[in-house]
Amino acid sequence: MKLATLKDGSPDGVLSVVDQAGARFIEVGEVPTLQSLMDDWNAGQAALRKAQARLAAGEGEPLTSDRIAAPLPRAWQWLDGSAFSTHGDLMQVAFGHDPIETDRPLMYQGMSDRFFGPTDDIPLPTTDHGIDFEGEFGVIVDHVPMGTNAADAMKHIRLIVQINDWSLRAIAPVEMKTGFGWVQAKPACSMAPFAVTPDELGDAWQNGRAHLDLAIDWNGNRFGSANGGEMAFGFHELVAHAALTRDLVAGTVIGSGTVSNRNYADVGSSCISEVRAIEIIAHGAPKTPFMAFGDCIRMVGRAKDGSERHCQMNCIG
């Protein structure tokens, strides 16, 4: 099932079911918001099926991009992992830090009171902060009890989303050195328009990983097309890691971290900082600049058959 949230002037928008083509929608009604659905996923299924049946019968309205908010415009919790080993290795070079010696998933808690929509302009104060995009996949879970193991965590993964985790690279090293976490370096993320149930991905959803190519275009030029299947830890393992010492509230969003592949020379990257690290390795210094005001970034999750599963395009305002 494919879900979207439509803008209606309220903070949480209106939950809607969308057809396979992403061309028409119908409001669920009985379950007004995505957060209310996550609060009681099982109870909301009848209303979702009813809306889906009406849509299949020809009801519904045309869906236009200007009406679409982030699937979850605000969340109780956003936890972002760093589950791609290649990205981690390259970022050590970019920031000049020693390798992190651990066999545990890396994760931080970020800003969750707002997620920008798929076509929203992104307001940031200055390009001096080193504006970067980070393409990644994410999941939205229902209530996860404390101590849930990785195997049981799979059934709590209800929806899959695609996220742009905006980063301010000039600030990040300063905050990292404090050892106290990110605040200024991590503004609000943006989300692609649709949240989909895992079955929508078919065989692209395997072992808690979204095996989709994440095609990224920067100002119309292809930047990268890395595949999400190369996670060192699957989403179920990230969920279990986060739930070790606490319950996870329904609607928690968990990110994969920047999608990155070992064959980056062939498929490209999903953030500027990674490319700059590659340039440091090859040439001794970075060449690629960070983003400028007016730049636009487009991210599309693609299945093996080329069909688009997630797409967002945001410009820096």
Side-chain angles (χ1 to χ4, degrees), residues 5 7 11-12 34-35 68-80 108 110-123 136 138-140 161-166 187-192 251-255 312 314:
T5 292
K7 299 175 182 177
D12 298 305
L34 186 59
Q35 181 59 54
I68 307 175
L72 197 58
R74 56 178 180 170
W76 291 111
Q77 185 165 226
W78 156 238
L79 300 173
D80 196 16
Y108 75 92
M111 174 181 174
S112 64
D113 58 285
R114 181 178 187 181
F115 284 91
F116 288 109
T119 60
D120 290 345
D121 289 340
I122 309 301
E136 55 186 271
V139 298
I140 305 176
V161 292
Q162 193 273 310
I163 297 167
N164 186 347
D165 175 31
W166 296 98
C189 302
S190 54
M191 277 191 190
T252 293
V253 185
I254 296 181
Q312 62 174 309
N314 302 100

Side-chain angles (χ1 to χ4, degrees), residues 70 83 204 236 274 280:
H236 55 310
E274 184 173 299
I280 291 171

Side-chain angles (χ1 to χ4, degrees), residues 19-223:
D19 67 3
Q20 287 298 311
R24 291 186 304 114
F25 76 93
I26 193 164
E27 294 180 6
V28 178
E30 297 170 50
V31 184
T33 68
L34 186 59
Q35 181 59 54
S36 60
L37 173 64
M38 302 314 301
D39 287 337
D40 198 339
W41 177 266
N42 291 329
Q45 294 309 296
L48 292 182
R49 288 192 295 270
K50 186 187 302 182
Q52 191 174 43
R54 291 175 58 197
L55 199 59
E59 295 186 48
E61 302 176 44
L63 183 62
T64 56
S65 60
D66 61 302
R67 300 190 63 180
I68 307 175
L72 197 58
R74 56 178 180 170
W76 291 111
Q77 185 165 226
W78 156 238
L79 300 173
D80 196 16
S82 182
F84 291 88
S85 300
T86 298
H87 177 72
D89 293 343
L90 290 170
M91 293 304 285
Q92 300 298 329
V93 175
F95 288 125
H97 292 169
D98 294 329
I100 299 173
E101 301 294 343
T102 181
D103 58 357
R104 303 174 63 189
L106 302 180
M107 184 175 287
Y108 75 92
Q109 183 162 342
M111 174 181 174
S112 64
D113 58 285
R114 181 178 187 181
F115 284 91
F116 288 109
T119 60
D120 290 345
D121 289 340
I122 309 301
L124 293 169
T126 174
T127 57
D128 293 343
H129 290 161
I131 301 169
D132 198 357
F133 51 86
E134 290 192 55
E136 55 186 271
F137 295 105
V139 298
I140 305 176
V141 299
D142 61 9
H143 173 254
V144 182
M146 181 172 63
T148 296
N149 62 35
D152 290 338
M154 285 292 288
K155 67 176 179 288
H156 293 287
I157 296 173
R158 298 302 190 177
L159 295 169
I160 300 167
V161 292
Q162 193 273 310
I163 297 167
N164 186 347
D165 175 31
W166 296 98
S167 296
L168 303 178
R169 299 301 191 185
I171 300 175
V174 178
E175 291 193 311
M176 290 172 71
K177 286 178 182 178
T178 68
F180 215 62
W182 280 310
V183 176
Q184 295 176 336
K186 290 291 187 178
C189 302
S190 54
M191 277 191 190
F194 307 128
V196 301
T197 49
D199 62 285
E200 284 286 319
L201 299 189
D203 62 5
W205 178 249
Q206 297 179 35
N207 196 25
R209 294 160 171 84
H211 292 254
L212 300 173
D213 291 337
L214 184 56
I216 298 177
D217 295 321
W218 180 9
N219 292 333
N221 299 311
R222 179 53 47 89
F223 187 85

Side-chain angles (χ1 to χ4, degrees), residues 229-312:
E230 210 169 288
M231 294 170 70
F233 298 94
F235 278 112
H236 55 310
E237 293 166 305
L238 296 181
V239 172
H241 173 76
L244 178 66
T245 60
R246 55 179 166 171
D247 289 0
L248 300 184
V249 66
T252 293
V253 185
I254 296 181
S256 66
T258 307
V259 178
S260 182
N261 293 169
R262 287 184 293 273
N263 61 331
Y264 56 79
D266 299 318
V267 300
S269 299
S270 302
C271 72
I272 299 171
S273 192
E274 184 173 299
V275 167
R276 287 167 64 90
I278 295 167
E279 292 169 345
I280 291 171
I281 295 169
H283 309 293
K287 298 180 179 180
T288 303
F290 290 113
M291 297 183 76
F293 287 149
D295 281 4
C296 295
I297 194 76
R298 185 175 190 264
M299 299 185 177
V300 182
R302 284 203 175 101
K304 290 180 181 179
D305 62 4
S307 60
E308 296 185 357
R309 302 305 175 95
H310 305 275
C311 177
Q312 62 174 309

